[in-house]
Amino acid sequence: MKKIIGSILTLIAVFSLAACGRNISTADLKANDWIVESEKSDYPSMILSFSDHVITFSIDSNNMESSAKSEMESIGEEFAKSIIDEMNFKYEYTLDKNKLTWKSDDKDNSEDETYLVGSEGKNIILTPEKISDSSESEKMVLKPIEKNKQNKKESNDESDSSSKSEKKDNSLLKNNKKFSYLATNNGAEKTKIIDQKDYATNWSDSSWSGVNVSIDEVSILKVEDFKDYSDEEYPAFIMVHFNIDNTSRDVGIFPEYATLNTNTGEQTEGSYHMKSFAGDLFSGSKVNGYASFPLTNLENVTDINQIRLKFNSSYDTDDFNDDNAYHEYDATIDLQ
């Protein structure tokens, strides 16, 4: 946080490059948003936008590198970025004959400063009219970017080029609508899906304690560059979608930790969390979600045509003779 505040204060306090080029108008300032890249590698860039009388600063969190070493740190970083994306700082300004006066919050205007405004190619250059002796001085250049390109709330006016970019980004596991948690919860931000096969299935079981369990979808994912927080690497995953309707009593049911076997002979445990959906369920609960099963070897996604899963469930009871209190599900599913 100190670094972010420091970079903001530096931007507000000092611009140190000689003005040159054509005259700059308010219309020129309003024509684009502007990025100011810090020369210090550990400071974020800033996005500037102008209205007729107000300049707005926001922090560009898109290129802030992650330093998370655990799931909790990753969640903390995402939360911090969401706060940063909502932060902006507004100041009134005037522009008169290539002199931009920055209005401070000080009522007596003792902190107002004037900058000479010039241009260098498409860039806008601001130079303080009175050179400061501050050791924080550094070269600052306003570079044009597409209007509102950095505003994450804008989504309705995407250009063809940005749509193509999004399609390309969809190869990243973290951008997959169904399976993004497999990347973000395990520190696998760079993982890409290189092949995928989806199957609609109809397995169901309602034989135990008023609990209706069904599996309606199985996906085989072949990936590259999957490496989790423990440095474990996997080339593929089987994703199984469960629906659970608990109609009778409180139960514990754990399909996310099932043991899975494939027709290729590999046996694996469901230990890689997506978004938790089962566990202790109250009576009347209806939940659904994906369980993920890592594979150590897979040549082609079509090699797997059958899976078998076993997982446990139970409920609390004081009746030691209640043999129904513990139950094991055993599901064999053909993929076709």
Side-chain angles (χ1 to χ4, degrees):
M1 183 61 69
K2 289 182 179 179
K3 291 179 179 179
I4 294 174
I5 294 173
S7 64
I8 294 169
L9 294 176
T10 299
L11 282 168
I12 294 174
V14 179
F15 290 88
S16 58
L17 185 70
C20 54
R22 62 185 176 82
N23 290 339
I24 299 298
S25 67
T26 300
D28 293 322
L29 296 176
K30 292 167 56 180
N32 297 287
D33 287 339
W34 308 87
I35 188 167
V36 180
E37 299 170 344
S38 174
E39 293 182 354
K40 298 181 179 180
S41 60
D42 55 351
Y43 278 16
S45 299
M46 300 292 293
I47 306 297
L48 282 65
S49 60
F50 292 84
S51 66
D52 288 330
H53 301 289
V54 175
I55 181 172
T56 301
F57 287 92
S58 59
I59 300 168
D60 181 16
S61 68
N62 291 338
N63 296 319
M64 295 174 68
E65 295 185 359
S66 172
S67 60
K69 297 181 180 179
S70 68
E71 179 180 344
M72 290 303 297
E73 289 183 4
S74 178
I75 293 173
E77 280 191 352
E78 291 300 318
F79 178 69
K81 283 186 177 182
S82 68
I83 295 176
I84 288 171
D85 289 338
E86 297 298 322
M87 294 172 61
N88 57 65
F89 305 86
K90 298 180 182 292
Y91 296 88
E92 290 189 7
Y93 76 94
T94 58
L95 181 63
D96 183 21
K97 296 180 180 179
N98 276 4
K99 286 189 178 183
L100 185 149
T101 301
W102 204 301
K103 298 292 185 181
S104 74
D105 295 330
D106 192 348
K107 293 182 179 180
D108 63 8
N109 296 328
S110 61
E111 298 298 324
D112 288 356
E113 294 193 40
T114 300
Y115 301 88
L116 303 178
V117 185
S119 65
E120 190 175 82
K122 295 182 179 180
N123 299 335
I124 286 182
I125 313 299
L126 299 181
T127 305
E129 190 175 43
K130 295 181 180 180
I131 303 298
S132 170
D133 293 330
S134 170
S135 61
E136 296 288 338
S137 297
E138 61 179 85
K139 176 180 177 180
M140 305 299 296
V141 180
L142 281 61
K143 299 179 180 180
I145 56 176
E146 183 181 343
K147 192 74 171 176
N148 291 327
K149 183 178 180 180
Q150 297 297 325
N151 189 340
K152 294 184 178 180
K153 295 180 180 178
E154 291 289 335
S155 59
N156 296 326
D157 299 322
E158 296 175 341
S159 64
D160 290 341
S161 61
S162 63
S163 296
K164 291 178 181 178
S165 175
E166 285 189 4
K167 289 180 181 179
K168 183 178 180 180
D169 288 341
N170 280 342
S171 66
L172 288 174
L173 179 60
K174 70 176 183 179
N175 291 338
N176 187 285
K177 291 182 179 180
K178 293 181 179 179
F179 310 133
S180 61
Y181 283 99
L182 184 58
T184 57
N185 284 8
N186 293 283
E189 300 288 332
K190 297 180 180 179
T191 301
K192 290 186 176 182
I193 300 174
I194 57 178
D195 202 0
Q196 177 175 342
K197 181 69 174 178
D198 300 319
Y199 297 93
T201 61
N202 59 5
W203 178 89
S204 64
D205 188 322
S206 57
S207 64
W208 178 73
S209 194
V211 179
N212 303 311
V213 182
S214 65
I215 297 173
D216 59 7
E217 181 184 329
V218 175
S219 294
I220 315 298
L221 304 182
K222 188 171 182 180
V223 299
E224 65 178 12
D225 297 328
F226 184 93
K227 188 175 184 179
D228 67 12
Y229 288 121
S230 299
D231 292 332
E232 296 288 345
E233 300 182 48
Y234 293 98
F237 288 87
I238 298 178
M239 314 300 297
V240 181
H241 186 257
F242 288 85
N243 299 284
I244 303 174
D245 182 4
N246 180 26
T247 66
S248 180
R249 64 189 300 167
D250 297 353
V251 301
I253 185 167
F254 305 95
E256 294 152 293
Y257 296 98
T259 299
L260 182 145
N261 182 266
T262 73
N263 62 285
T264 61
E266 182 164 358
Q267 183 165 305
T268 182
E269 304 291 332
S271 57
Y272 281 77
H273 291 293
M274 290 280 287
K275 187 176 182 181
S276 181
F277 65 92
D280 294 324
L281 299 182
F282 292 154
S283 173
S285 298
K286 292 183 179 182
V287 298
N288 69 88
Y290 287 93
S292 57
F293 301 88
L295 300 178
T296 58
N297 183 50
L298 184 69
E299 290 295 326
N300 300 295
V301 293
T302 55
D303 290 345
I304 296 176
N305 55 47
Q306 186 183 80
I307 61 172
R308 182 184 180 189
L309 301 101
K310 296 177 72 174
F311 56 96
N312 298 319
S313 57
S314 64
Y315 57 76
D316 292 332
T317 180
D318 295 328
D319 184 356
F320 293 104
N321 296 317
D322 187 355
D323 295 332
N324 197 46
Y326 296 90
H327 181 74
E328 183 179 66
Y329 288 91
D330 191 338
T332 298
I333 301 174
D334 293 321
L335 306 177
Q336 55 189 8

